Amino acid sequence: MGKLMRLISMAPLFLLLCLPFAFGGHDYNQALSKSILFFEAQRSGYLPHNQRITWRANSGLNDGKASGVDLVGGYYDAGDNVKFGLPMAFTITMMSWSIIEYGKQMAANGELGHAMEAVKWGTDYFIKAHPQPYVLYGEVGDGNSDHYCWQRPEDMTTDRRAYKIDPSNPGSDLAGETAAAMAAASIVFRRSNPAYSRELLRHAYQLFEFADKYRGKYDSSITVAQKYYRSISGYNDELLWAAAWLYQASNNKYYLNYLAKNGDSMGGTGWAMTEFGWDVKYAGVQTLVAKFLMQGKAGHHAPVFEKYRQKAEYFMCSLIGKGSRNIQRTPGGLIYRQRWNNMQFVTSASFLATVYSDYLTSYRGSLKCAAGNVAPSELLSFAKSQVDYLLGDNPRATSYMVGYGNNYPRQVHHRGSSIVSIKVNPKFVACRQGYATWYTRKASDPNVLTGALVGGPDAYDNFADERDNYEQTEPATYNNAPLLGILARLAGGHGGYNQLLPVVSPASNPVIAKLKPAPKPKWTPTPASSSSPITINQKMTTSWNHKGKTYYRYSTVVTNKSYKTVKALKLSISKLYGPIWGLTKSGNSYGFPEWLNTLPAGKSLEFVYIHAASLADVSVSSYNLA
């Protein structure tokens, strides 16, 4: 069980990513496949016919019955047999975010369907756990009694009591994280299962209202969780996190306004973090809000959202060692935060670095650190270094992903993998018998827990592959969830990454757009009078075919050639048949984006649009010189 101790000044909104290094050395596709497989070993309930981890069988089939509710299903969090709601919800949120950003890369590897099934296994359970708008079951089983026993989940004799939050016993952090999970997952299923997507979003709306209306820490209501998943950070980060995901899922301005209105009071604009995980969500919120800002969605909230972005960049700079307070690393280069299950922070932080690298590259921006400006590729290089370390590029030459490479942990602190499969020997394993016979056994686990990412090495890169060394050898679902996205991104290589486009959820069997090589950019000046101080140049940056139609991406640069500042610029755009980014529409004309009020002498702004036609007609309608 993991515990927390713990212009051109305006840039275009997307760009093909070209990195100064080549991905290589590790089979990221294989690692991705294995890391998804781990979730099948963590399943509780009735296992499906297509279950690939065949040494597991049905378990927890009476969960919730004593409380009059069906709580069969969901995931065991780590090496135990308890279902903890807070880390489970964070796991689903991060798996969903991985798919939202890199679903196409997963599809190219044939793993998108498996990843979506892994998400649905969690959301199906959350639907059951949320039987009424203001009721949410947040735990099944008790960590204390569970830790007294060492049993296969199929043999469980421990207490399976269910614990809930309600208006009298609130849990804003738990309800908020579950709302975030449901909202993020609703994006994942939007195209392939729209009815299910709508159901998830409905639950997300209700859970957010519950979290916001009845405020309190969940571990004050579900006290048995305190020893294992105590909410040290409180619930303000989860409320902001849920609002960010609900805005992304629904485009409802209520949630955007919530982020702006509560950013200061709830810490979103104030907390400069050096960690991100199942308890502390601030860095994740700040990364998402920075994305909204770069997408041009902030509107009049831009000043507040800029403060979120600054805190997001504080986090990123601390990762790569160029901030004012940098994250500790081991001599071998691994992020190090704590002795117990340190790897959870490695994958979560690396995921944020990965997506932020792509956001900045799409935006054609750079990371502003205390040590100076940093290219976005440095963030991705950092994430790659962390993944390569955990896959074996480390002083011990050990892969910390079970089943990947030749040298990986064999004595994993995990009940199911360490005890002979019930399908091999159906004889009942009693509570204490498991400790006597299997826990203390100095041999490899009889079942390989393929894809599990264990807790990892200590501050000096040391690691002991021993079952009772739970701080280092226990895996967890929330270790793997962010890893899915990073591995898919690294496996995708140098493909086009346009992460600031509006979210389009991947279909389970999507048609992957095949990018044509972009022709050599050819600038096409838009006619303007010779006396005009403003020039407009357009070019096509790439094209691709999708379902028999060719789409083009155009970049347009507007430059102030005068010696004065341009104000109140209005552009007229006709023959535009698709989305446009980087301008604000007002009536029949377009003006500066929300974050830009003037165009100083000699500076440029750039906007982009996509449609299946030739260049749009862009001309200057009016402007003022000051």
Side-chain angles (χ1 to χ4, degrees):
M1 255 166 245
K3 302 180 179 73
L4 185 66
M5 309 289 172
R6 295 245 235 277
L7 125 165
I8 285 179
S9 62
M10 248 352 277
L13 293 182
F14 51 131
L15 176 71
L16 288 178
L17 181 62
C18 292
L19 295 173
F21 56 85
F23 296 138
H26 284 288
D27 189 339
Y28 300 120
N29 281 316
Q30 181 194 122
L32 172 63
S33 300
K34 291 179 183 294
S35 64
I36 296 174
L37 202 57
F38 167 63
F39 291 97
E40 296 194 15
Q42 298 302 105
R43 285 171 169 170
S44 182
Y46 291 98
L47 301 186
H49 68 279
N50 60 348
Q51 171 81 10
R52 295 177 295 165
I53 299 296
T54 55
W55 49 264
R56 279 294 322 283
N58 299 337
S59 62
L61 303 184
N62 293 313
D63 285 358
K65 184 176 287 187
S67 301
V69 62
D70 176 10
L71 295 177
V72 176
Y75 287 110
Y76 303 119
D77 71 304
D80 54 86
N81 298 327
V82 185
K83 295 190 296 200
F84 291 99
L86 184 60
M88 193 193 307
F90 178 70
T91 294
I92 299 305
T93 306
M94 294 308 296
M95 270 202 285
S96 297
W97 196 358
S98 292
I99 294 170
I100 290 165
E101 299 287 356
Y102 305 115
K104 284 187 177 180
Q105 289 70 35
M106 292 182 189
N109 188 30
E111 291 296 339
L112 178 58
H114 291 137
M116 291 173 72
E117 286 172 9
V119 170
K120 192 171 186 294
W121 194 267
T123 52
D124 284 351
Y125 172 77
F126 290 141
I127 289 171
K128 293 179 176 183
H130 184 224
Q132 299 171 43
Y134 296 160
V135 173
L136 176 65
Y137 284 85
E139 183 172 330
V140 178
D142 166 41
N144 293 330
S145 64
D146 179 88
H147 277 200
Y148 183 75
C149 295
W150 193 263
Q151 289 177 292
R152 298 176 293 210
E154 295 85 357
D155 288 330
M156 275 189 294
T157 55
T158 48
D159 180 13
R160 299 301 289 174
R161 194 177 313 174
Y163 301 87
K164 68 179 179 180
I165 55 172
D166 57 29
S168 301
N169 304 281
S172 300
D173 29 24
L174 174 64
E177 181 60 70
T178 311
M182 300 298 249
S186 76
I187 301 170
V188 170
F189 294 102
R190 186 176 290 163
R191 285 173 61 192
S192 63
N193 195 340
Y196 188 66
S197 173
R198 288 191 295 271
E199 183 180 10
L200 295 178
L201 194 55
R202 179 176 61 83
H203 281 278
Y205 286 138
Q206 292 179 354
L207 285 162
F208 179 81
E209 182 182 348
F210 176 27
D212 196 35
K213 186 174 182 179
Y214 299 100
R215 295 193 183 184
K217 281 178 59 179
Y218 96 104
D219 56 12
S220 296
S221 299
I222 304 178
T223 56
V224 293
Q226 288 181 0
K227 186 178 175 182
Y228 304 98
Y229 290 102
R230 185 179 178 190
S231 180
I232 296 173
S233 71
Y235 54 76
N236 283 332
D237 52 338
E238 277 85 8
L239 289 173
L240 294 172
W241 177 242
W245 278 111
L246 275 160
Y247 175 66
Q248 177 131 319
S250 68
N251 211 31
N252 187 323
K253 290 294 179 63
Y254 172 83
Y255 301 101
L256 193 74
N257 294 337
Y258 187 98
L259 288 164
K261 178 182 176 183
N262 296 289
D264 292 343
S265 63
M266 289 185 172
T269 61
W271 281 107
M273 306 305 300
T274 56
E275 73 172 85
F276 173 59
W278 59 261
D279 180 32
V280 186
K281 314 292 165 47
Y282 283 113
V285 175
Q286 292 154 356
T287 299
L288 281 175
V289 174
K291 178 185 183 181
F292 301 155
L293 181 66
M294 286 186 252
Q295 285 177 311
K297 294 180 176 181
H300 64 280
H301 299 314
V304 178
F305 281 21
E306 177 62 27
K307 290 196 286 185
Y308 276 100
R309 185 195 65 79
Q310 289 171 0
K311 293 300 186 291
E313 300 212 339
Y314 180 98
F315 177 83
M316 304 301 164
C317 296
S318 74
L319 291 181
I320 58 176
K322 297 190 176 181
S324 56
R325 181 164 62 105
N326 297 321
I327 289 177
Q328 179 184 348
R329 295 198 209 179
T330 69
L334 187 72
I335 291 175
Y336 187 78
R337 179 145 202 99
Q338 69 180 36
R339 188 176 62 187
W340 189 315
N341 190 15
N342 180 65
M343 206 62 83
Q344 61 179 305
F345 301 109
V346 174
T347 58
S348 293
S350 297
F351 179 86
L352 292 188
T354 300
V355 296
Y356 203 73
S357 170
D358 283 337
Y359 295 164
L360 281 176
T361 303
S362 303
Y363 185 67
R364 204 180 278 171
S366 62
L367 180 63
K368 297 172 179 61
C369 295
N373 287 2
V374 176
S377 58
E378 281 200 40
L379 281 173
L380 191 57
S381 296
F382 164 78
K384 180 181 182 293
S385 74
Q386 299 299 293
V387 171
D388 287 349
Y389 181 109
L390 68 87
L391 292 179
D393 291 0
N394 55 65
R396 297 186 77 259
T398 295
S399 164
Y400 294 104
M401 178 184 286
V402 178
Y404 180 88
N406 297 318
N407 183 23
Y408 56 82
R410 310 282 172 163
Q411 295 187 37
V412 183
H413 184 90
H414 187 276
R415 287 156 176 76
S417 66
S418 67
I419 303 174
V420 65
S421 170
I422 197 169
K423 295 182 180 180
V424 173
N425 185 352
K427 187 177 179 181
F428 175 74
V429 177
C431 174
R432 302 304 292 178
Q433 177 195 352
Y435 272 112
T437 306
W438 296 101
Y439 181 76
T440 57
R441 179 172 168 264
K442 301 299 181 184
S444 298
D445 294 339
N447 310 304
V448 179
L449 194 64
T450 303
L453 184 61
V454 299
D458 66 12
Y460 304 97
D461 301 300
N462 297 316
F463 177 80
D465 183 14
E466 298 165 355
R467 197 169 294 110
D468 59 358
N469 180 20
Y470 45 81
E471 293 180 342
Q472 295 190 331
T473 62
E474 186 173 22
T477 54
Y478 43 88
N479 294 9
N480 278 58
L483 187 58
L484 304 189
I486 315 169
L487 289 169
R489 173 64 181 87
L490 294 176
H494 300 301
Y497 288 84
N498 310 314
Q499 304 307 115
L500 298 185
L501 285 168
V503 171
V504 177
S505 57
S508 52
N509 291 298
V511 176
I512 306 301
K514 293 184 178 179
L515 286 174
K516 288 182 177 179
K520 188 175 180 179
K522 181 180 179 182
W523 286 98
T524 306
T526 297
S529 68
S530 58
S531 60
S532 173
I534 299 171
T535 61
I536 300 172
N537 288 285
Q538 299 198 71
K539 66 176 178 179
M540 181 182 73
T541 57
T542 192
S543 64
W544 64 92
N545 290 321
H546 183 60
K547 294 185 177 179
K549 184 177 284 190
T550 302
Y551 291 86
Y552 304 93
R553 180 189 305 137
Y554 297 102
S555 168
T556 305
V557 176
V558 181
T559 304
N560 177 8
K561 294 286 190 179
S562 76
Y563 296 102
K564 296 183 178 181
T565 297
V566 171
K567 293 185 175 181
L569 175 68
K570 296 294 180 185
L571 298 176
S572 173
I573 303 178
S574 60
K575 298 182 181 177
L576 175 66
Y577 310 107
I580 187 169
W581 295 269
L583 295 176
T584 300
K585 189 171 185 181
S586 177
N588 293 322
S589 63
Y590 294 82
F592 287 126
E594 294 286 354
W595 56 84
L596 192 67
N597 296 318
T598 62
L599 194 60
K603 297 296 183 179
S604 301
L605 71 83
E606 189 166 3
F607 63 90
V608 295
Y609 58 92
I610 293 175
H611 64 192
S614 56
L615 288 167
D617 290 340
V618 182
S619 60
V620 177
S621 296
S622 62
Y623 61 90
N624 293 327
L625 291 179

